[in-house]
């Protein structure tokens, strides 16, 4: 790549680079991801990879879509792994491009293990996960000293299609001040009920961020008590992240993108500092 003072690796024929594409904005690709995208003979991507990101590929690069779109069923995971293995055995330079980070709720580890079993060499290129970078971009920090020293990442959608088994909701409700929930929209009413049952309060702040980091981004600030109804009457569309916790209130001070559009930022969004400190 141009004007870098360090060497970037070569994507060799017969290799698969299992790569995170970040939340959507191509500016949030890593250098390793961009380096791989530019060298690949074939990119096998899922639905969350943005067109702008794919546009970074070379003109001769074959782009293969392997994901869900428009309600059509997705190719079976085994088929995707088999395809990656075949492409590598054909001597292609293969980039498997997945939204966010490949090892967070993305089945990247399953694909990597299939490559291991087949003896196909691979590299893992981490990406910025939507639950981290997508929320930061929207002005929501996942930790803040005055509010929380822990955060939990949860998927709202298990292998069965329902909310996942094996989540100890009472423990999470009691012990995790901030909950970052992927794939939460479909089962938001059930998730909310589990959190109420675990003692979380109706007035607790919630944000729903859809299409984070993209031009179509929508951020809905609401409360646990109102979130299901507010999502239903909003223009929120998947993919969307839900974050529950006090950190959401910091957005009043940290929505830097909103400030570009004229929003006034609060220097003390939690109202915890004395007038002298703020002034
Ligand atoms: N590996 C991905 C997550 C895949 S699961 C990552 O690390 O980000 C798919 C879920 O991720 C979506 O249902 C949504 O909850 C979330 N997601 C991915 N991209 C998103 C985006 N740009 N905006 C909001 N949510 C997103």
């Amino acid at each position: 790549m141009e004007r870098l003072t360090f060497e970037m690796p070569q994507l060799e024929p017969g290799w698969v680079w299992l790569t995170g594409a970040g939340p959507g904005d191509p500016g949030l690709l890593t250098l390793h991801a961009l380096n791989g995208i530019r060298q690949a003979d074939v990119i096998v991507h899922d639905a969350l990879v943005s067109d702008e990101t794919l546009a970074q590929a070379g003109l001769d690069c074959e782009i293969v879509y392997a994901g869900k779109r428009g309600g059509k069923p997705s190719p079976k995971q085994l088929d995707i792994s088999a395809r990656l293995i075949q492409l590598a055995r054909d001597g292609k330079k293969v980039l498997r491009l997945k939204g966010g980070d490949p090892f967070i709720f993305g089945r990247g580890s399953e694909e990597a293990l299939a490559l291991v079993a087949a003896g196909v060499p691979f590299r893992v290129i981490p990406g910025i996960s939507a639950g981290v970078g997508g929320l930061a971009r929207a002005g929501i920090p996942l930790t803040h000293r005055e509010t929380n020293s822990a955060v939990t990442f949860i998927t709202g959608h298990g292998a069965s299609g329902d909310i996942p088994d094996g989540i100890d909701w009472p423990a999470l409700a009691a012990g995790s001040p901030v909950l970052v929930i992927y794939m939460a929209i479909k089962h938001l009413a059930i998730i909310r009920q589990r959190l109420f049952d675990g003692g979380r309060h109706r007035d607790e702040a919630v944000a729903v961020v859809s299409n984070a980091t993209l031009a179509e981004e929508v951020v809905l600030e609401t409360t646990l008590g109102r979130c299901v109804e507010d999502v239903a009457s909003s223009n929120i569309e998947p993919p969307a992240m839900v974050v529950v916790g006090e950190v959401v209130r910091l957005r009043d001070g940290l929505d830097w993108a909103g400030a570009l559009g004229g929003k006034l930022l609060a220097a003390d969004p939690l109202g915890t500092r004395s007038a002298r400190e703020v002034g």
Side-chain angles (χ1 to χ4, degrees), residues 11 30 33 39 160 179 200 212 245:
L11 172 47
T30 64
Q39 293 183 68
S160 64
L179 306 167
R200 300 295 275 248

Side-chain angles (χ1 to χ4, degrees), residues 12 44 64 85 100 148 153 158 163 183 186 219 242 250:
E12 303 286 350
V44 181
V64 177
I85 291 163
N148 66 308
F153 296 99
I163 65 169
M183 296 176 268
K186 190 166 167 211
V219 182
V242 173
L250 289 157

Side-chain angles (χ1 to χ4, degrees), residues 4-260:
L4 294 177
T5 56
F6 48 90
E7 284 287 311
M8 295 299 283
Q10 291 279 327
L11 172 47
E12 303 286 350
W15 278 67
V16 177
W17 283 9
L18 183 57
T19 303
D25 173 356
L28 296 174
L29 288 167
T30 64
L31 294 177
H32 277 301
L34 185 59
N35 178 46
I37 289 170
R38 289 186 173 167
Q39 293 183 68
D41 294 326
V42 50
I43 295 177
V44 181
H45 69 97
D46 68 17
L48 291 173
V49 177
S50 65
D51 293 341
E52 277 171 299
T53 297
L54 292 170
Q56 307 310 307
L59 289 179
D60 297 336
C61 179
E62 186 190 348
I63 308 279
V64 177
Y65 171 64
K68 248 184 267 190
R69 200 172 276 162
K72 296 203 189 95
S74 56
K76 296 259 175 342
Q77 191 63 43
L78 281 176
D79 296 346
I80 298 173
S81 297
R83 180 133 194 203
L84 296 175
I85 291 163
Q86 192 55 52
L87 287 166
R89 287 185 175 153
D90 290 346
K92 304 278 198 224
K93 302 174 192 172
V94 186
L95 192 88
R96 172 63 170 133
L97 197 53
K98 300 174 81 79
D101 182 273
F103 281 1
I104 296 195
F105 303 133
R107 308 189 70 172
S109 44
E110 292 170 47
E111 293 177 18
L113 291 172
L115 298 174
V116 173
V120 171
F122 68 99
R123 172 186 285 264
V124 178
I125 299 179
I128 298 180
S129 190
V132 181
L135 297 177
R137 166 67 175 69
I140 302 168
L142 294 190
T143 70
H144 183 73
R145 276 201 307 179
E146 289 168 55
T147 57
N148 66 308
S149 316
V151 53
T152 303
F153 296 99
I154 305 165
T155 173
H157 205 270
S160 64
D162 293 331
I163 65 169
D165 303 326
I167 294 185
D168 186 344
W169 289 101
L172 278 185
S176 184
V178 173
L179 306 167
V180 175
I181 315 173
Y182 294 70
M183 296 176 268
I185 298 296
K186 190 166 167 211
H187 300 308
L188 192 55
I190 304 175
I191 292 169
R192 170 173 72 173
Q193 191 56 49
R194 297 275 196 281
L195 293 175
F196 283 158
D197 293 347
R200 300 295 275 248
H201 201 268
R202 296 187 65 77
D203 293 336
E204 188 164 1
V206 170
V208 185
V209 184
S210 77
N211 284 303
T213 79
L214 295 167
E216 309 79 45
E217 179 179 279
V218 177
V219 182
L220 172 73
E221 287 183 51
T222 174
T223 60
L224 211 46
R226 291 199 326 261
C227 61
V228 174
E229 296 70 21
D230 282 355
V231 166
S233 60
S234 74
N235 52 349
I236 291 281
E237 303 213 342
M241 298 295 321
V242 173
V243 51
V244 180
E246 281 288 273
V247 286
V248 169
R249 293 171 54 209
L250 289 157
R251 186 162 188 265
D252 286 345
L254 301 177
D255 180 14
W256 61 275
L260 293 177

